Amino acid sequence: ELVRGITGIHELEEQLNRLLGIAEVKIIPGDSDDTPVVKEELGQACADQLKKILKAQNIIAVTGGTTMACAAEMMTREIGKGKQILFVPARGGVGDDVKNQANSICAKMAEQTGGSHRALYIPDQVSEKVRESLLQDPNISEVLNLIQSANIVLHGIGDAIKMATRRNTNDADMDKLLKEQAVGEAFGYYFNIEGEVVHKVSTVGLQLADLHRARHAVAVAGGKSKAKAIQSYMKSAPPNTVFITDEGAAKELFKAL
Ligand code: G3H
């Protein structure tokens, strides 16, 4: 049996959907922690979902990460055919590896689908004064407006400490995350297991409220090691969320709920 009392992936999808109280759960067989091709399949499922929800005109906010990078690889011209699509990075952070940054992923998604994209370059950790002056820049404020009017948000979910390490988080913030027992991360917000926001990267861009306003949110995260992170994020996920995951994460998550 898959997990106690549940015999098929489809049943697990339905159970998780009910327990999480979101729009839909889609589970890919396998575990992306052990099998890299499963992450590509998560990316493919994200691309398929996007195709389903696209309207004639779209503003799509996208986060960074290796999972979103896989989703970009899997997108095709077919998805964007006859549609207007503009990709914008959900947040301005540039703390990650270039290939995993939201800006690069937006550029890739635009290239793959024949859509367009805008970039937003604002370092994660700038002083309040610098940020204020960056916000005065007309180009930056235009992109911020686009982000706020996104009808679709595509995002990953990460393990809090892994993400904080990858972003070269300073010691003070790292101490805070450990002390507050952060377990999950999504678009620069860090959550404890209760789903409370315990820290937020100070960069500009998508806010949780914007996510709730967007017509569709597609969360993509797999691997058994992400189960706790997913659990923490899903406590406050908007009900319009479609969650794409793999069997490894789904089974572990189900046990914890
Ligand atoms: O915000 C979370 C990250 O986007 C997840 O990154 O897909 O590389 O695990 P990942």
Side-chain angles (χ1 to χ4, degrees), residues 19-52:
L19 289 165
L20 300 175
I22 54 175
E24 195 185 333
V25 175
K26 169 114 188 90
I27 302 172
I28 304 296
D31 186 324
S32 51
D33 281 346
D34 317 321
T35 319
V37 73
V38 175
K39 200 180 256 188
E40 289 170 24
E41 284 161 15
L42 289 171
Q44 182 64 56
C46 177
D48 294 345
Q49 180 63 26
L50 180 63
K51 184 164 194 271
K52 251 197 247 175

PDB file of all heavy atoms in Angstrom, residues 19-52:
ATOM      1  N   LEU A  19      -7.231  17.648   2.744  1.00  0.00           N
ATOM      2  CA  LEU A  19      -6.540  18.056   3.978  1.00  0.00           C
ATOM      3  C   LEU A  19      -5.926  19.454   3.865  1.00  0.00           C
ATOM      4  O   LEU A  19      -5.886  20.207   4.828  1.00  0.00           O
ATOM      5  CB  LEU A  19      -5.443  17.039   4.329  1.00  0.00           C
ATOM      6  CG  LEU A  19      -5.933  15.681   4.827  1.00  0.00           C
ATOM      7  CD1 LEU A  19      -4.810  14.653   4.797  1.00  0.00           C
ATOM      8  CD2 LEU A  19      -6.491  15.809   6.248  1.00  0.00           C
ATOM      9  N   LEU A  20      -5.429  19.781   2.684  1.00  0.00           N
ATOM     10  CA  LEU A  20      -4.774  21.080   2.517  1.00  0.00           C
ATOM     11  C   LEU A  20      -5.770  22.192   2.204  1.00  0.00           C
ATOM     12  O   LEU A  20      -5.463  23.374   2.352  1.00  0.00           O
ATOM     13  CB  LEU A  20      -3.702  21.012   1.409  1.00  0.00           C
ATOM     14  CG  LEU A  20      -2.560  20.009   1.625  1.00  0.00           C
ATOM     15  CD1 LEU A  20      -1.650  19.960   0.397  1.00  0.00           C
ATOM     16  CD2 LEU A  20      -1.733  20.367   2.867  1.00  0.00           C
ATOM     17  N   GLY A  21      -6.937  21.827   1.747  1.00  0.00           N
ATOM     18  CA  GLY A  21      -7.962  22.831   1.451  1.00  0.00           C
ATOM     19  C   GLY A  21      -7.584  23.771   0.314  1.00  0.00           C
ATOM     20  O   GLY A  21      -7.820  24.975   0.379  1.00  0.00           O
ATOM     21  N   ILE A  22      -6.966  23.216  -0.723  1.00  0.00           N
ATOM     22  CA  ILE A  22      -6.579  24.039  -1.872  1.00  0.00           C
ATOM     23  C   ILE A  22      -7.327  23.566  -3.120  1.00  0.00           C
ATOM     24  O   ILE A  22      -8.140  22.649  -3.050  1.00  0.00           O
ATOM     25  CB  ILE A  22      -5.043  24.013  -2.102  1.00  0.00           C
ATOM     26  CG1 ILE A  22      -4.558  22.568  -2.222  1.00  0.00           C
ATOM     27  CG2 ILE A  22      -4.340  24.745  -0.958  1.00  0.00           C
ATOM     28  CD1 ILE A  22      -3.090  22.453  -2.576  1.00  0.00           C
ATOM     29  N   ALA A  23      -7.023  24.181  -4.266  1.00  0.00           N
ATOM     30  CA  ALA A  23      -7.812  23.899  -5.474  1.00  0.00           C
ATOM     31  C   ALA A  23      -7.585  22.496  -6.034  1.00  0.00           C
ATOM     32  O   ALA A  23      -8.523  21.821  -6.438  1.00  0.00           O
ATOM     33  CB  ALA A  23      -7.507  24.948  -6.539  1.00  0.00           C
ATOM     34  N   GLU A  24      -6.331  22.075  -6.065  1.00  0.00           N
ATOM     35  CA  GLU A  24      -6.011  20.790  -6.697  1.00  0.00           C
ATOM     36  C   GLU A  24      -4.629  20.311  -6.280  1.00  0.00           C
ATOM     37  O   GLU A  24      -3.735  21.132  -6.032  1.00  0.00           O
ATOM     38  CB  GLU A  24      -6.038  20.966  -8.229  1.00  0.00           C
ATOM     39  CG  GLU A  24      -6.087  19.673  -9.006  1.00  0.00           C
ATOM     40  CD  GLU A  24      -6.000  19.897 -10.520  1.00  0.00           C
ATOM     41  OE1 GLU A  24      -6.404  20.979 -10.995  1.00  0.00           O
ATOM     42  OE2 GLU A  24      -5.521  18.985 -11.208  1.00  0.00           O
ATOM     43  N   VAL A  25      -4.465  18.999  -6.186  1.00  0.00           N
ATOM     44  CA  VAL A  25      -3.138  18.422  -5.937  1.00  0.00           C
ATOM     45  C   VAL A  25      -2.831  17.447  -7.057  1.00  0.00           C
ATOM     46  O   VAL A  25      -3.676  16.626  -7.427  1.00  0.00           O
ATOM     47  CB  VAL A  25      -3.080  17.681  -4.572  1.00  0.00           C
ATOM     48  CG1 VAL A  25      -1.738  16.983  -4.388  1.00  0.00           C
ATOM     49  CG2 VAL A  25      -3.342  18.646  -3.416  1.00  0.00           C
ATOM     50  N   LYS A  26      -1.628  17.574  -7.598  1.00  0.00           N
ATOM     51  CA  LYS A  26      -1.210  16.662  -8.677  1.00  0.00           C
ATOM     52  C   LYS A  26       0.093  16.003  -8.232  1.00  0.00           C
ATOM     53  O   LYS A  26       1.056  16.694  -7.876  1.00  0.00           O
ATOM     54  CB  LYS A  26      -1.010  17.503  -9.943  1.00  0.00           C
ATOM     55  CG  LYS A  26      -0.336  16.799 -11.062  1.00  0.00           C
ATOM     56  CD  LYS A  26      -1.298  16.616 -12.243  1.00  0.00           C
ATOM     57  CE  LYS A  26      -0.713  15.738 -13.316  1.00  0.00           C
ATOM     58  NZ  LYS A  26      -0.987  14.308 -13.179  1.00  0.00           N
ATOM     59  N   ILE A  27       0.110  14.680  -8.238  1.00  0.00           N
ATOM     60  CA  ILE A  27       1.292  13.947  -7.760  1.00  0.00           C
ATOM     61  C   ILE A  27       1.970  13.178  -8.895  1.00  0.00           C
ATOM     62  O   ILE A  27       1.334  12.387  -9.597  1.00  0.00           O
ATOM     63  CB  ILE A  27       0.914  12.951  -6.634  1.00  0.00           C
ATOM     64  CG1 ILE A  27       0.259  13.694  -5.453  1.00  0.00           C
ATOM     65  CG2 ILE A  27       2.143  12.181  -6.157  1.00  0.00           C
ATOM     66  CD1 ILE A  27      -0.311  12.765  -4.379  1.00  0.00           C
ATOM     67  N   ILE A  28       3.276  13.406  -9.033  1.00  0.00           N
ATOM     68  CA  ILE A  28       4.093  12.677 -10.012  1.00  0.00           C
ATOM     69  C   ILE A  28       4.696  11.463  -9.294  1.00  0.00           C
ATOM     70  O   ILE A  28       5.205  11.614  -8.186  1.00  0.00           O
ATOM     71  CB  ILE A  28       5.251  13.591 -10.506  1.00  0.00           C
ATOM     72  CG1 ILE A  28       4.725  14.911 -11.087  1.00  0.00           C
ATOM     73  CG2 ILE A  28       6.166  12.858 -11.485  1.00  0.00           C
ATOM     74  CD1 ILE A  28       3.879  14.770 -12.311  1.00  0.00           C
ATOM     75  N   PRO A  29       4.654  10.276  -9.887  1.00  0.00           N
ATOM     76  CA  PRO A  29       5.265   9.106  -9.244  1.00  0.00           C
ATOM     77  C   PRO A  29       6.777   9.300  -9.027  1.00  0.00           C
ATOM     78  O   PRO A  29       7.428   9.977  -9.824  1.00  0.00           O
ATOM     79  CB  PRO A  29       5.026   7.975 -10.247  1.00  0.00           C
ATOM     80  CG  PRO A  29       3.934   8.452 -11.148  1.00  0.00           C
ATOM     81  CD  PRO A  29       4.025   9.949 -11.177  1.00  0.00           C
ATOM     82  N   GLY A  30       7.311   8.719  -7.950  1.00  0.00           N
ATOM     83  CA  GLY A  30       8.739   8.782  -7.673  1.00  0.00           C
ATOM     84  C   GLY A  30       9.092   9.875  -6.683  1.00  0.00           C
ATOM     85  O   GLY A  30       8.216  10.512  -6.097  1.00  0.00           O
ATOM     86  N   ASP A  31      10.408  10.085  -6.507  1.00  0.00           N
ATOM     87  CA  ASP A  31      10.888  11.081  -5.548  1.00  0.00           C
ATOM     88  C   ASP A  31      12.040  11.860  -6.189  1.00  0.00           C
ATOM     89  O   ASP A  31      13.076  11.279  -6.526  1.00  0.00           O
ATOM     90  CB  ASP A  31      11.355  10.380  -4.262  1.00  0.00           C
ATOM     91  CG  ASP A  31      11.720  11.364  -3.167  1.00  0.00           C
ATOM     92  OD1 ASP A  31      12.273  12.444  -3.488  1.00  0.00           O
ATOM     93  OD2 ASP A  31      11.457  11.062  -1.990  1.00  0.00           O
ATOM     94  N   SER A  32      11.856  13.148  -6.348  1.00  0.00           N
ATOM     95  CA  SER A  32      12.879  13.949  -7.037  1.00  0.00           C
ATOM     96  C   SER A  32      14.164  14.095  -6.223  1.00  0.00           C
ATOM     97  O   SER A  32      15.196  14.482  -6.762  1.00  0.00           O
ATOM     98  CB  SER A  32      12.320  15.321  -7.426  1.00  0.00           C
ATOM     99  OG  SER A  32      11.722  15.943  -6.326  1.00  0.00           O
ATOM    100  N   ASP A  33      14.122  13.787  -4.928  1.00  0.00           N
ATOM    101  CA  ASP A  33      15.366  13.780  -4.137  1.00  0.00           C
ATOM    102  C   ASP A  33      16.337  12.723  -4.678  1.00  0.00           C
ATOM    103  O   ASP A  33      17.547  12.937  -4.698  1.00  0.00           O
ATOM    104  CB  ASP A  33      15.081  13.431  -2.668  1.00  0.00           C
ATOM    105  CG  ASP A  33      14.528  14.618  -1.881  1.00  0.00           C
ATOM    106  OD1 ASP A  33      14.608  15.759  -2.383  1.00  0.00           O
ATOM    107  OD2 ASP A  33      14.037  14.390  -0.757  1.00  0.00           O
ATOM    108  N   ASP A  34      15.771  11.571  -5.088  1.00  0.00           N
ATOM    109  CA  ASP A  34      16.629  10.457  -5.528  1.00  0.00           C
ATOM    110  C   ASP A  34      16.729  10.362  -7.046  1.00  0.00           C
ATOM    111  O   ASP A  34      17.681   9.804  -7.574  1.00  0.00           O
ATOM    112  CB  ASP A  34      16.064   9.093  -5.052  1.00  0.00           C
ATOM    113  CG  ASP A  34      15.569   9.150  -3.620  1.00  0.00           C
ATOM    114  OD1 ASP A  34      16.240   9.809  -2.807  1.00  0.00           O
ATOM    115  OD2 ASP A  34      14.503   8.550  -3.334  1.00  0.00           O
ATOM    116  N   THR A  35      15.724  10.855  -7.737  1.00  0.00           N
ATOM    117  CA  THR A  35      15.641  10.647  -9.187  1.00  0.00           C
ATOM    118  C   THR A  35      15.442  11.981  -9.908  1.00  0.00           C
ATOM    119  O   THR A  35      14.335  12.525  -9.925  1.00  0.00           O
ATOM    120  CB  THR A  35      14.431   9.720  -9.504  1.00  0.00           C
ATOM    121  OG1 THR A  35      14.380   8.665  -8.538  1.00  0.00           O
ATOM    122  CG2 THR A  35      14.524   9.133 -10.890  1.00  0.00           C
ATOM    123  N   PRO A  36      16.527  12.534 -10.464  1.00  0.00           N
ATOM    124  CA  PRO A  36      16.445  13.866 -11.070  1.00  0.00           C
ATOM    125  C   PRO A  36      15.357  14.015 -12.135  1.00  0.00           C
ATOM    126  O   PRO A  36      14.780  15.093 -12.280  1.00  0.00           O
ATOM    127  CB  PRO A  36      17.832  14.067 -11.683  1.00  0.00           C
ATOM    128  CG  PRO A  36      18.725  13.160 -10.910  1.00  0.00           C
ATOM    129  CD  PRO A  36      17.893  11.986 -10.488  1.00  0.00           C
ATOM    130  N   VAL A  37      15.074  12.936 -12.865  1.00  0.00           N
ATOM    131  CA  VAL A  37      14.088  13.044 -13.943  1.00  0.00           C
ATOM    132  C   VAL A  37      12.693  13.380 -13.385  1.00  0.00           C
ATOM    133  O   VAL A  37      11.868  13.990 -14.075  1.00  0.00           O
ATOM    134  CB  VAL A  37      14.087  11.767 -14.840  1.00  0.00           C
ATOM    135  CG1 VAL A  37      13.445  10.592 -14.113  1.00  0.00           C
ATOM    136  CG2 VAL A  37      13.380  12.018 -16.156  1.00  0.00           C
ATOM    137  N   VAL A  38      12.467  13.030 -12.124  1.00  0.00           N
ATOM    138  CA  VAL A  38      11.174  13.352 -11.507  1.00  0.00           C
ATOM    139  C   VAL A  38      10.994  14.880 -11.402  1.00  0.00           C
ATOM    140  O   VAL A  38       9.894  15.402 -11.571  1.00  0.00           O
ATOM    141  CB  VAL A  38      11.021  12.663 -10.123  1.00  0.00           C
ATOM    142  CG1 VAL A  38       9.743  13.093  -9.423  1.00  0.00           C
ATOM    143  CG2 VAL A  38      11.037  11.139 -10.285  1.00  0.00           C
ATOM    144  N   LYS A  39      12.098  15.590 -11.172  1.00  0.00           N
ATOM    145  CA  LYS A  39      12.003  17.056 -11.120  1.00  0.00           C
ATOM    146  C   LYS A  39      11.634  17.625 -12.487  1.00  0.00           C
ATOM    147  O   LYS A  39      10.887  18.587 -12.598  1.00  0.00           O
ATOM    148  CB  LYS A  39      13.314  17.663 -10.615  1.00  0.00           C
ATOM    149  CG  LYS A  39      13.131  19.068 -10.078  1.00  0.00           C
ATOM    150  CD  LYS A  39      14.415  19.672  -9.579  1.00  0.00           C
ATOM    151  CE  LYS A  39      14.463  19.673  -8.072  1.00  0.00           C
ATOM    152  NZ  LYS A  39      15.613  20.434  -7.557  1.00  0.00           N
ATOM    153  N   GLU A  40      12.145  16.990 -13.536  1.00  0.00           N
ATOM    154  CA  GLU A  40      11.761  17.412 -14.894  1.00  0.00           C
ATOM    155  C   GLU A  40      10.269  17.169 -15.125  1.00  0.00           C
ATOM    156  O   GLU A  40       9.594  17.960 -15.770  1.00  0.00           O
ATOM    157  CB  GLU A  40      12.584  16.661 -15.949  1.00  0.00           C
ATOM    158  CG  GLU A  40      14.030  17.116 -15.966  1.00  0.00           C
ATOM    159  CD  GLU A  40      14.916  16.226 -16.823  1.00  0.00           C
ATOM    160  OE1 GLU A  40      14.398  15.558 -17.747  1.00  0.00           O
ATOM    161  OE2 GLU A  40      16.138  16.192 -16.552  1.00  0.00           O
ATOM    162  N   GLU A  41       9.781  16.068 -14.568  1.00  0.00           N
ATOM    163  CA  GLU A  41       8.349  15.777 -14.713  1.00  0.00           C
ATOM    164  C   GLU A  41       7.498  16.757 -13.920  1.00  0.00           C
ATOM    165  O   GLU A  41       6.391  17.113 -14.334  1.00  0.00           O
ATOM    166  CB  GLU A  41       8.066  14.316 -14.322  1.00  0.00           C
ATOM    167  CG  GLU A  41       8.515  13.369 -15.421  1.00  0.00           C
ATOM    168  CD  GLU A  41       8.714  11.932 -14.982  1.00  0.00           C
ATOM    169  OE1 GLU A  41       8.247  11.563 -13.887  1.00  0.00           O
ATOM    170  OE2 GLU A  41       9.357  11.175 -15.733  1.00  0.00           O
ATOM    171  N   LEU A  42       8.017  17.214 -12.790  1.00  0.00           N
ATOM    172  CA  LEU A  42       7.321  18.275 -12.041  1.00  0.00           C
ATOM    173  C   LEU A  42       7.251  19.530 -12.911  1.00  0.00           C
ATOM    174  O   LEU A  42       6.217  20.195 -12.991  1.00  0.00           O
ATOM    175  CB  LEU A  42       8.061  18.609 -10.738  1.00  0.00           C
ATOM    176  CG  LEU A  42       8.025  17.572  -9.610  1.00  0.00           C
ATOM    177  CD1 LEU A  42       8.992  17.964  -8.495  1.00  0.00           C
ATOM    178  CD2 LEU A  42       6.615  17.426  -9.050  1.00  0.00           C
ATOM    179  N   GLY A  43       8.371  19.818 -13.578  1.00  0.00           N
ATOM    180  CA  GLY A  43       8.417  20.976 -14.470  1.00  0.00           C
ATOM    181  C   GLY A  43       7.427  20.829 -15.619  1.00  0.00           C
ATOM    182  O   GLY A  43       6.727  21.776 -15.984  1.00  0.00           O
ATOM    183  N   GLN A  44       7.350  19.615 -16.151  1.00  0.00           N
ATOM    184  CA  GLN A  44       6.412  19.348 -17.244  1.00  0.00           C
ATOM    185  C   GLN A  44       4.969  19.537 -16.784  1.00  0.00           C
ATOM    186  O   GLN A  44       4.154  20.148 -17.480  1.00  0.00           O
ATOM    187  CB  GLN A  44       6.623  17.908 -17.759  1.00  0.00           C
ATOM    188  CG  GLN A  44       5.739  17.536 -18.927  1.00  0.00           C
ATOM    189  CD  GLN A  44       6.040  18.388 -20.161  1.00  0.00           C
ATOM    190  OE1 GLN A  44       7.181  18.431 -20.619  1.00  0.00           O
ATOM    191  NE2 GLN A  44       5.038  19.089 -20.678  1.00  0.00           N
ATOM    192  N   ALA A  45       4.666  19.045 -15.580  1.00  0.00           N
ATOM    193  CA  ALA A  45       3.306  19.182 -15.041  1.00  0.00           C
ATOM    194  C   ALA A  45       2.966  20.658 -14.817  1.00  0.00           C
ATOM    195  O   ALA A  45       1.825  21.083 -15.013  1.00  0.00           O
ATOM    196  CB  ALA A  45       3.182  18.399 -13.739  1.00  0.00           C
ATOM    197  N   CYS A  46       3.965  21.439 -14.429  1.00  0.00           N
ATOM    198  CA  CYS A  46       3.759  22.882 -14.240  1.00  0.00           C
ATOM    199  C   CYS A  46       3.445  23.542 -15.585  1.00  0.00           C
ATOM    200  O   CYS A  46       2.518  24.354 -15.693  1.00  0.00           O
ATOM    201  CB  CYS A  46       5.002  23.499 -13.587  1.00  0.00           C
ATOM    202  SG  CYS A  46       4.900  25.280 -13.385  1.00  0.00           S
ATOM    203  N   ALA A  47       4.210  23.162 -16.606  1.00  0.00           N
ATOM    204  CA  ALA A  47       3.978  23.698 -17.949  1.00  0.00           C
ATOM    205  C   ALA A  47       2.581  23.314 -18.451  1.00  0.00           C
ATOM    206  O   ALA A  47       1.865  24.141 -19.023  1.00  0.00           O
ATOM    207  CB  ALA A  47       5.057  23.182 -18.909  1.00  0.00           C
ATOM    208  N   ASP A  48       2.180  22.071 -18.198  1.00  0.00           N
ATOM    209  CA  ASP A  48       0.844  21.606 -18.615  1.00  0.00           C
ATOM    210  C   ASP A  48      -0.253  22.398 -17.905  1.00  0.00           C
ATOM    211  O   ASP A  48      -1.257  22.771 -18.509  1.00  0.00           O
ATOM    212  CB  ASP A  48       0.652  20.119 -18.289  1.00  0.00           C
ATOM    213  CG  ASP A  48       1.583  19.221 -19.099  1.00  0.00           C
ATOM    214  OD1 ASP A  48       2.150  19.705 -20.090  1.00  0.00           O
ATOM    215  OD2 ASP A  48       1.745  18.037 -18.722  1.00  0.00           O
ATOM    216  N   GLN A  49      -0.045  22.618 -16.615  1.00  0.00           N
ATOM    217  CA  GLN A  49      -1.031  23.361 -15.829  1.00  0.00           C
ATOM    218  C   GLN A  49      -1.148  24.798 -16.347  1.00  0.00           C
ATOM    219  O   GLN A  49      -2.239  25.339 -16.491  1.00  0.00           O
ATOM    220  CB  GLN A  49      -0.619  23.358 -14.341  1.00  0.00           C
ATOM    221  CG  GLN A  49      -1.568  24.087 -13.413  1.00  0.00           C
ATOM    222  CD  GLN A  49      -2.956  23.456 -13.382  1.00  0.00           C
ATOM    223  OE1 GLN A  49      -3.113  22.268 -13.646  1.00  0.00           O
ATOM    224  NE2 GLN A  49      -3.966  24.263 -13.080  1.00  0.00           N
ATOM    225  N   LEU A  50       0.002  25.384 -16.659  1.00  0.00           N
ATOM    226  CA  LEU A  50       0.006  26.755 -17.182  1.00  0.00           C
ATOM    227  C   LEU A  50      -0.816  26.833 -18.472  1.00  0.00           C
ATOM    228  O   LEU A  50      -1.637  27.736 -18.647  1.00  0.00           O
ATOM    229  CB  LEU A  50       1.446  27.220 -17.422  1.00  0.00           C
ATOM    230  CG  LEU A  50       1.571  28.644 -17.967  1.00  0.00           C
ATOM    231  CD1 LEU A  50       1.026  29.658 -16.961  1.00  0.00           C
ATOM    232  CD2 LEU A  50       3.022  28.975 -18.309  1.00  0.00           C
ATOM    233  N   LYS A  51      -0.598  25.867 -19.326  1.00  0.00           N
ATOM    234  CA  LYS A  51      -1.327  25.843 -20.601  1.00  0.00           C
ATOM    235  C   LYS A  51      -2.835  25.845 -20.361  1.00  0.00           C
ATOM    236  O   LYS A  51      -3.597  26.517 -21.047  1.00  0.00           O
ATOM    237  CB  LYS A  51      -0.911  24.612 -21.402  1.00  0.00           C
ATOM    238  CG  LYS A  51      -1.536  24.538 -22.785  1.00  0.00           C
ATOM    239  CD  LYS A  51      -0.798  23.542 -23.652  1.00  0.00           C
ATOM    240  CE  LYS A  51      -1.163  23.688 -25.105  1.00  0.00           C
ATOM    241  NZ  LYS A  51      -2.304  22.915 -25.529  1.00  0.00           N
ATOM    242  N   LYS A  52      -3.253  25.091 -19.342  1.00  0.00           N
ATOM    243  CA  LYS A  52      -4.669  24.970 -19.005  1.00  0.00           C
ATOM    244  C   LYS A  52      -5.290  26.283 -18.551  1.00  0.00           C
ATOM    245  O   LYS A  52      -6.457  26.534 -18.798  1.00  0.00           O
ATOM    246  CB  LYS A  52      -4.811  23.967 -17.849  1.00  0.00           C
ATOM    247  CG  LYS A  52      -5.429  22.651 -18.240  1.00  0.00           C
ATOM    248  CD  LYS A  52      -5.910  21.926 -16.990  1.00  0.00           C
ATOM    249  CE  LYS A  52      -5.083  20.679 -16.757  1.00  0.00           C
ATOM    250  NZ  LYS A  52      -5.413  19.998 -15.506  1.00  0.00           N
TER     251      LYS A  52
END
